[in-house]
Amino acid sequence: MRNQRMDIIQDVLKTGFHEVCIEISGKCNAQCKYCPSGKKTGEQRGMMSPETFERVLDKLISYGIIGEESQIDLFWWGEPLLNPNLNAIIEIAQKKGVDYVLSTNGFYYQKIPKHLLKGIKRLIISMPGFSQASYDRIHRFDFETIKRNIRKYAEDMHQAGELDKIWVAYHVYQFNLDELYDAYNFCEELQISFNPGYAFPLLVKERIAYASNTLPLERKEEMLKEVVTFQLDKMIAESDKENCIYQRRNFIVDEKANVYGCLNLEHDEQNYCGNLFEDEIEDIYKKIANLSICDECIQCGVAPADISFKFFFDSWFQMMKKTTFLETLCKSEIDNWNKKKEILQIIMNLRAAEQKKDKQELFSKVKDIMLQNEIPKVMIDGEIDKWAMRPCKLQQEFNDFWEQ
C-alpha cells in the first residue's frame, strides 16, 4: 500500500515546496506563552553561519526542494534578527536568486542595507496587541521600543522602495480587541500593511489536547480567558479531517541542517527526520511521510487544511480595506461613481474568493460585473495587486478562470 504522504512529497518536488523554512536562529527573546520558544521549554540553541546556510541552500536546490516559485522563510521558532550574520545570509540568498521572507517580533533592530532589501518578499512583524498591558501579557517587551523599531524598519523599506512588503501580523486575543483600531491607524500612518489574525496555540499537541478535551484544567481556563477559542472550534468543526496544507507547503531545516517533519512540533525526537549533510534525502522523505502524529492531528480536525488556518480576522480586515478603498476611489480619476461602486464590489468578491477553495461562483460574479460595465481586465489586475491578501496567487487563479 502506497504512503499517501510520500506521494504528496514526490508531487511537490516537481515544482518545489512553496515555503522552505531555514531557521537561521535557534534563539528567541520573546516570552510568548502559546509558543515553545517563548516558554523556553527546550535548549536555547545557536545561530546558523553563512557557510552552513550556503551549503543548506545548495542541497535544497539540488534536491528540487527549492524550485523557481519557492520562497525561503529565514525563521521557524527562532528570532532571525538576533543572528549577527543576517546580512551575509541574505546576500547568499540573493546571489542564488531565491526570494526570502523575514518574520520578527520587532524588539531587536538590525540594519539591512538597501540593496539586500530588494530581494525581500515580505517582512512580517508580529504584535500581540497595541499597548504595554498587552505586551506585558505575551511578548514581555517595552511597547515604545517596538513602535520605534517598526518605524525604523518602515523607513528602511521605504528607502529601498519596498514599503509595501511590510506586513504587521496583529495577533487577536480577547484582551486586545479594543486596540485593533489604534494598531490599524499606526500602520496607516506608516503606510504599511495591517493584517490582524486570531492567535492560537502553535503546538500540534496542545491543539490535539484541546480538541480531545484532555487539556489540563489550568491551561484550558487560561486559553478560554485569552484566546478567541470559537475560531478554533469553528476550524475543528469544518475540517474535512483528511488533509494538512503543511505537508504540501512546507519543508523545515534548523540551524544545524537538521530536518523536521512538522511546522507545529518542537525540535524533538518525534519531529526529527534526519540531517541534510549526513543522511540520504530519500530516508529523510520517508521519515517525514511516516510522522506518527500526523494522522491524529488530521483526524482531530486541528491540522490546517488551507492557508486560512492563519485565522485572518476577515470581518474587520474587510471593513478597513473597504473604507480605505473607498477613500482611494474618491480621489481617483474615475468620474463615474457607479463604476467606482462596481469596482469596489469586484474587489470584495475577489477578496472573498481568496478564503474559499471553490472560487468559480465568485469569479463568475466578478466577470459578469466587468462585462456589464465594460471594466477592462487590466484595471482589475492592478486593483488585485493593491488590495488582495495574496495578489500573485489570486491573479493567477483569476487569469486561469478568465481564459477558460
Side-chain angles (χ1 to χ4, degrees):
M1 187 177 191
R2 289 188 63 83
N3 185 308
Q4 184 182 10
R5 290 198 287 273
M6 181 61 83
D7 289 344
I8 290 172
I9 291 171
Q10 296 301 330
D11 182 55
V12 169
L13 290 176
K14 295 172 186 175
T15 57
F17 283 82
H18 176 71
E19 291 183 36
V20 179
C21 302
I22 305 179
E23 189 173 36
I24 64 171
S25 168
K27 299 180 180 180
C28 184
N29 54 340
Q31 299 181 52
C32 312
K33 64 178 73 173
Y34 297 101
C35 169
S37 295
K39 292 192 294 183
K40 307 292 186 291
T41 54
E43 61 173 318
Q44 283 290 288
R45 305 178 332 275
M47 301 290 171
M48 179 177 280
S49 69
E51 294 75 22
T52 299
F53 178 77
E54 186 159 19
R55 285 185 67 198
V56 165
L57 209 53
D58 287 340
K59 285 275 188 182
L60 295 172
I61 292 170
S62 68
Y63 291 142
I65 293 167
I66 291 179
E68 288 186 4
E69 296 183 7
S70 301
Q71 68 180 43
I72 54 172
D73 296 344
L74 298 179
F75 58 93
W76 183 23
W77 293 124
E79 167 56 52
L81 273 297
L82 293 177
N83 191 317
N85 295 307
L86 175 64
N87 287 330
I89 286 170
I90 293 174
E91 196 152 13
I92 292 166
Q94 199 172 66
K95 181 177 69 175
K96 304 286 183 182
V98 182
D99 291 336
Y100 72 92
V101 176
L102 282 172
S103 180
T104 177
N105 55 48
F107 184 74
Y108 185 75
Y109 172 77
Q110 184 174 167
K111 179 74 174 180
I112 302 173
K114 187 189 301 186
H115 72 283
L116 295 181
L117 287 174
K118 289 293 183 183
I120 196 167
K121 189 168 185 179
R122 189 174 301 116
L123 171 61
I124 303 168
I125 303 173
S126 297
M127 299 189 78
F130 203 74
S131 71
Q132 188 59 57
S134 290
Y135 269 84
D136 287 344
R137 297 183 76 142
I138 304 293
H139 282 182
R140 309 288 176 87
F141 291 146
D142 176 66
F143 180 49
E144 292 303 319
T145 299
I146 297 295
K147 287 192 290 183
R148 185 165 58 248
N149 286 343
I150 292 176
R151 291 181 187 278
K152 288 180 182 178
Y153 284 123
E155 179 58 27
D156 289 346
M157 295 287 277
H158 173 69
Q159 292 297 324
E162 304 288 349
L163 188 61
D164 61 329
K165 304 288 180 63
I166 297 187
W167 178 341
V168 167
Y170 183 94
H171 299 168
V172 177
Y173 292 91
Q174 293 185 49
F175 57 78
N176 67 21
L177 286 166
D178 60 339
E179 298 166 8
L180 266 162
Y181 196 64
D182 289 338
Y184 168 65
N185 281 333
F186 176 75
C187 292
E188 283 290 288
E189 174 198 337
L190 297 178
Q191 297 182 298
I192 59 180
S193 180
F194 177 63
N195 291 271
Y198 293 105
F200 57 91
L202 289 175
L203 285 177
V204 162
K205 295 173 186 176
E206 191 158 51
R207 294 203 299 272
I208 289 174
Y210 176 85
S212 59
N213 202 29
T214 58
L215 204 61
L217 182 59
E218 184 179 351
R219 182 62 163 175
K220 184 175 182 179
E221 288 177 346
E222 183 177 43
M223 280 181 57
L224 290 174
K225 290 177 182 177
E226 294 187 337
V227 178
V228 186
T229 53
F230 84 82
Q231 191 68 20
L232 187 54
D233 294 336
K234 180 181 177 184
M235 192 266 290
I236 293 169
E238 294 178 354
S239 171
D240 61 11
K241 297 180 172 58
E242 293 180 1
N243 299 294
C244 174
I245 194 172
Y246 290 158
Q247 293 176 347
R248 181 173 295 279
R249 189 178 176 87
N250 297 88
F251 191 89
I252 309 150
V253 185
D254 78 358
E255 80 282 0
K256 295 179 181 177
N258 295 317
V259 178
Y260 293 90
C262 176
L263 200 65
N264 286 164
L265 284 175
E266 297 175 85
H267 301 77
D268 58 19
E269 188 175 345
Q270 183 181 28
N271 200 19
Y272 177 74
C273 295
N275 185 280
L276 276 181
F277 301 155
E278 299 170 3
D279 299 303
E280 296 294 329
I281 191 63
E282 286 300 327
D283 292 335
I284 291 174
Y285 291 151
K286 286 176 185 176
K287 288 180 180 177
I288 294 173
N290 288 286
L291 210 62
S292 60
I293 200 170
C294 285
D295 290 337
E296 185 181 7
C297 176
I298 291 170
Q299 288 162 14
C300 277
V302 296
D306 57 46
I307 199 61
S308 67
F309 181 71
K310 293 290 186 182
F311 291 159
F312 290 108
F313 196 50
D314 203 54
S315 56
W316 186 273
F317 190 81
Q318 289 281 57
M319 182 171 65
M320 291 186 295
K321 282 288 186 184
K322 188 180 291 189
T323 302
T324 310
F325 185 72
L326 280 169
E327 290 171 351
T328 305
L329 272 181
C330 286
K331 300 172 186 174
S332 74
E333 296 177 359
I334 302 173
D335 295 326
N336 188 323
W337 180 245
N338 284 329
K339 180 168 283 192
K340 291 182 180 184
K341 288 194 295 184
E342 297 299 345
I343 294 173
L344 173 62
Q345 189 59 45
I346 287 169
I347 296 304
M348 291 301 109
N349 277 318
L350 288 173
R351 277 193 45 78
E354 286 191 281
Q355 305 294 318
K356 295 183 177 294
K357 289 182 181 178
D358 186 358
K359 300 174 170 52
Q360 298 298 306
E361 183 179 350
L362 287 166
F363 281 171
S364 294
K365 286 182 181 179
V366 167
K367 190 170 184 178
D368 288 344
I369 295 171
M370 290 171 65
L371 294 175
Q372 290 168 13
N373 294 275
E374 299 182 348
I375 298 172
K377 185 172 177 296
V378 65
M379 177 185 288
I380 300 307
D381 287 340
E383 299 301 332
I384 288 174
D385 193 48
K386 286 187 288 187
W387 302 105
M389 192 179 295
R390 289 169 289 280
C392 294
K393 186 173 187 296
L394 183 62
Q395 280 180 338
Q396 183 60 57
E397 290 171 335
F398 188 53
N399 285 341
D400 292 343
F401 170 82
W402 189 271
E403 292 170 4
Q404 288 176 359

